Amino acid sequence: MKKGNISIFVPHNGCPQQCAFCNQKTITGQQQQPTPDDVVKAVETALRHKGYEYEIAFFGGSFTAIDRDYMNELLDAAAPYVKNGSVKGIRISTRPDCIDSEVLTLLKEKGVTAIELGAQSMDDAVLEANRRGHTAQDVVQAAQLVKAFGFELGLQMMTGLYLDTDDKAIATAEKIIALQPDTVRIYPTVVLKGTYLEELYDGKIYRPPTVDDAAALCTRLVPLFEKAQIKIIRLGLHASEELKKNMVAGAYHEAFGEIVQSRFLLNRVLAYPPGNYEILVNPRLVSRLKGQQKRNVYFLMEQGYNIKYTVTDKVDELRIIRK
C-alpha cells in the first residue's frame, strides 16, 4: 500500500518564540486554528481513497506547547482512527524545549507514534542569532527522551540561516546523525515578509541562499544521511500560494528535491574537465540530467562542455564518453 499523510496544520499555536525566519501562517498557508470536527472531516475524506496506509500528522506549530485542553481535543478526535486501525498512527512536530516525560506519557496514551523536533541547527551561535530560544543540548536531550519512550524520532534542520555556513550545516548534519533519528527533513531558508530575517536582508546584513546554493549544499548533506540509513522525507518547503506571495528571497522552488537530484547528475559530469562528450542516459533520467528548464545544459555550455545526449535503455543511469 502507498503511504499517505493526513496533514492538519496548527499554525503558530503555542509557540513560545518568534524565530527570525518564522511567519508560520505563511509557511502552512493556514490562517484558522483547526477544530476537532476539522480533524474528523480530514480523516474521513482521506479514508475514502483506498489503497493508502495513512498517518495523521499535526504540523505547523509547536504542538506540545499549545493549550493542553485544546491539544487533548485534537488528539481525542484523531485517536479512535488509530485504535480501530484505520490509520497507522499520529505524527506531531514540536520544539525540542517543549518535550518532557509528562507530555510524552500523554502523547503515548493518545496514540501518537512519531515526533518530529525542529532542531534547525546544532550550532548554538546560529540558534541564538535566529532567536530560536533553545540550545543544541536541548535538541540532544529531547531526542534521547523521545527515543527512550519508543516514539519514531524525526529531526528537522535548516540550511542558510543567519550566521550559518556550509561547514556549520555539515557539522549539524553529523550531530543529527549521531542522535540516530528515523527520519530527517532539510529546509533551506526562505526569507518571508514580516520576519526578522527580512529586516536583516533589507539592511544588507544577511544574504540568504539561492536555490543553486542550497542544492549544492544538499548534494553534500544527502549522502551523509543516506550512508547512515536515515530516511530524508522532505527537501525544501511545501508549496503554498501564501508562501509564494510572501517570499522575499531565499532558496524556494516547488521542485527543490528534483533540483537536488539533478545536481547530483550535474556533479558527475563536472568531475570531468571541459571538452567534447557524449552522454548515454537512461530515458527515466533525461529530464533530471538536463535540469529544470535545461539549466544544467546551459550551465555546462557556459563552462566549456560540448555534449551530445543519447537516450538509451542500454545504460541503467548514464555513461560519459569523452570524444
Side-chain angles (χ1 to χ4, degrees):
M1 296 179 72
K2 297 179 181 179
K3 296 185 182 298
N5 266 357
I6 304 171
S7 297
I8 298 154
F9 292 102
V10 189
H12 205 68
N13 191 334
C15 192
Q17 294 290 128
Q18 182 65 48
C19 300
F21 51 84
C22 189
N23 182 335
Q24 194 65 53
K25 290 180 180 179
T26 293
I27 292 172
T28 63
Q30 293 282 115
Q31 302 294 323
Q32 302 297 323
Q33 302 297 335
T35 67
D37 283 344
D38 292 329
V39 175
V40 172
K41 289 176 184 176
V43 177
E44 292 291 343
T45 299
L47 292 179
R48 294 188 195 126
H49 301 281
K50 305 300 181 183
Y52 286 86
E53 183 182 53
Y54 283 110
E55 180 180 63
I56 299 171
F58 290 102
F59 285 136
S62 298
F63 192 74
T64 58
I66 66 179
D67 177 81
R68 189 53 52 88
D69 289 339
Y70 178 49
M71 186 183 85
N72 280 324
E73 288 174 1
L74 295 177
L75 289 174
D76 285 341
Y81 296 99
V82 180
K83 291 178 181 177
N84 68 21
S86 297
V87 301
K88 70 169 187 175
I90 300 170
R91 175 180 295 267
I92 66 137
S93 73
T94 192
R95 293 171 53 89
D97 53 348
C98 293
I99 287 290
D100 57 29
S101 296
E102 182 270 333
V103 75
L104 290 176
T105 299
L106 175 60
L107 295 176
K108 200 80 170 176
E109 293 171 351
K110 299 290 186 178
V112 173
T113 50
I115 298 175
E116 294 190 31
L117 302 175
Q120 318 311 9
S121 175
M122 295 297 285
D123 184 289
D124 282 339
V126 173
L127 291 172
E128 183 177 2
N130 290 274
R131 301 179 172 181
R132 276 297 289 169
H134 68 78
T135 66
Q137 186 58 30
D138 290 327
V139 178
V140 172
Q141 291 173 347
Q144 291 173 340
L145 198 56
V146 167
K147 287 176 71 73
F149 269 75
F151 293 96
E152 177 186 308
L153 172 65
L155 291 174
Q156 302 167 2
M157 69 173 287
M158 295 181 66
T159 64
L161 287 167
Y162 177 44
L163 297 190
D164 201 6
T165 65
D166 285 3
D167 287 344
K168 287 182 179 181
I170 296 295
T172 283
E174 291 171 342
K175 290 175 182 178
I176 284 176
I177 289 166
L179 295 172
Q180 299 181 308
D182 299 283
T183 63
V184 68
R185 296 178 193 259
I186 303 173
Y187 294 129
T189 299
V190 176
V191 180
L192 300 174
K193 293 177 183 177
T195 64
Y196 179 52
L197 281 190
E198 183 188 23
E199 295 179 27
L200 296 176
Y201 173 69
D202 287 344
K204 302 188 185 304
I205 298 169
Y206 165 63
R207 175 189 173 276
T210 64
V211 169
D212 286 334
D213 293 336
L217 175 56
C218 283
T219 61
R220 299 173 63 191
L221 295 173
V222 168
L224 298 178
F225 291 110
E226 289 182 342
K227 183 179 179 181
Q229 297 184 316
I230 297 169
K231 185 178 181 181
I232 301 172
I233 57 177
R234 185 72 194 179
L235 279 172
L237 287 170
H238 289 272
S240 79
E241 290 305 313
E242 285 296 317
L243 179 59
K244 294 175 188 176
K245 285 191 297 185
N246 287 280
M247 187 187 83
V248 177
Y252 172 73
H253 194 286
E254 286 185 354
F256 181 75
E258 181 71 18
I259 289 173
V260 172
Q261 294 303 319
S262 177
R263 183 77 186 215
F264 277 112
L265 296 183
L266 174 63
N267 288 347
R268 287 177 62 175
V269 181
L270 292 174
Y272 292 79
N276 298 321
Y277 296 91
E278 181 179 10
I279 298 181
L280 308 180
V281 55
N282 187 281
R284 64 186 172 81
L285 294 180
V286 174
S287 61
R288 188 177 297 178
L289 173 63
K290 293 186 175 182
Q292 292 279 325
Q293 298 178 329
K294 295 187 177 180
R295 63 197 298 164
N296 288 355
V297 174
Y298 298 131
F299 176 78
L300 288 167
M301 290 173 62
E302 291 169 1
Q303 299 302 309
Y305 291 82
N306 179 29
I307 297 174
K308 175 185 177 183
Y309 298 89
T310 301
V311 181
T312 174
D313 57 10
K314 293 181 180 179
V315 294
D316 292 335
E317 293 184 347
L318 57 85
R319 184 186 307 156
I320 303 170
I321 303 170
R322 182 151 197 176
K323 296 294 188 179

